[in-house]
Amino acid sequence: MAKAIYHKHQRVFVRPVGTWALVEQVKPQWVKDVEEPVRVFYDCGLGRDFTADELAAEQTEELDAGHWRVLRAKNKWQSIEDCAHHPYPGTFPVIVTETMDWGGWRVPAAEYDRDPSRIEAQARLIAHAPHLMGVAETLARLASEDGELPPALAELSRRAGKILKEVNTKPASKDNDGSRRAA
């Protein structure tokens, strides 16, 4: 039995032709007395129907939100007595962005000691950033799908779209002469 893998209006790469196309029509092939289609073909407007193994879905780059978390690392430079005023004496936050307990963001001990509460708040914000990006993407998508939003929600959607644009824009890189150009 076969199930449709792609849907109508989805952008796919058509391997035999070597180009991108939109699925114009999903064509299931039915057999009498069978509850599900035997095969599913896809009309991409390129002269013939294609099977699922001849198509590839567009890959979207997403943040791996499932693995971002705050861990506590032992403070090697100060004893627990020296840092008793910290929220978690003897440790500092490490934001891990990998499945293993390494890779990510760390703060220098001197900066943490200057304002530990602020650094703790920043660590929590960084760890939850992928989830906040998801909320911003949903808000921006709402604005593009539904033109008639309440003014407050429309403003939030506009701001979310602007933030997403800034986050997703690659920074300019410096040329050898010191001028900046787009990457």
Side-chain angles (χ1 to χ4, degrees):
M1 299 305 138
K3 294 197 183 240
I5 297 173
Y6 306 105
H7 57 82
K8 190 174 180 178
H9 302 298
Q10 182 175 359
R11 186 170 186 240
V12 293
F13 184 76
V14 185
R15 288 188 185 110
V17 182
T19 188
W20 290 94
L22 292 178
V23 175
E24 293 181 1
Q25 191 175 8
V26 178
K27 297 180 172 181
Q29 184 180 34
W30 296 92
V31 175
K32 186 177 179 181
D33 296 330
V34 177
E35 293 179 14
E36 295 181 8
V38 178
R39 280 182 250 163
V40 178
F41 295 98
Y42 302 92
D43 179 4
C44 298
L46 297 173
R48 73 171 179 93
D49 295 337
F50 297 94
T51 60
D53 60 331
E54 295 176 304
L55 305 175
E58 185 175 27
Q59 298 293 318
T60 57
E61 190 176 315
E62 293 182 8
L63 293 172
D64 187 6
H67 299 295
W68 287 37
R69 62 205 176 283
V70 178
L71 296 179
R72 309 294 319 166
K74 187 173 179 2
N75 189 338
K76 299 176 186 176
W77 301 278
Q78 292 178 316
S79 67
I80 293 176
E81 296 80 28
D82 292 340
C83 56
H85 64 284
H86 292 180
Y88 301 94
T91 65
F92 63 95
V94 175
I95 298 91
V96 179
T97 57
E98 298 289 330
T99 55
M100 305 300 285
D101 287 344
W102 55 275
W105 300 83
R106 285 153 175 74
V107 63
E111 185 177 341
Y112 180 76
D113 195 39
R114 202 171 52 228
D115 193 351
S117 295
R118 183 176 61 94
I119 300 300
E120 292 288 340
Q122 289 173 352
R124 290 189 303 275
L125 176 63
I126 292 170
H128 289 89
H131 301 292
L132 292 171
M133 283 288 294
V135 170
E137 288 167 350
T138 302
L139 272 173
R141 190 172 48 250
L142 271 175
S144 65
E145 291 174 355
D146 187 7
E148 296 182 25
L149 293 174
L153 190 55
E155 173 62 19
L156 280 175
S157 298
R158 186 191 63 72
R159 288 173 53 194
K162 185 178 176 182
I163 291 168
L164 287 170
K165 183 178 178 184
E166 290 178 14
V167 168
N168 293 325
T169 300
K170 291 183 179 181
S173 62
K174 281 192 174 183
D175 284 338
N176 291 337
D177 64 353
S179 63
R180 298 190 71 76
R181 64 176 176 82

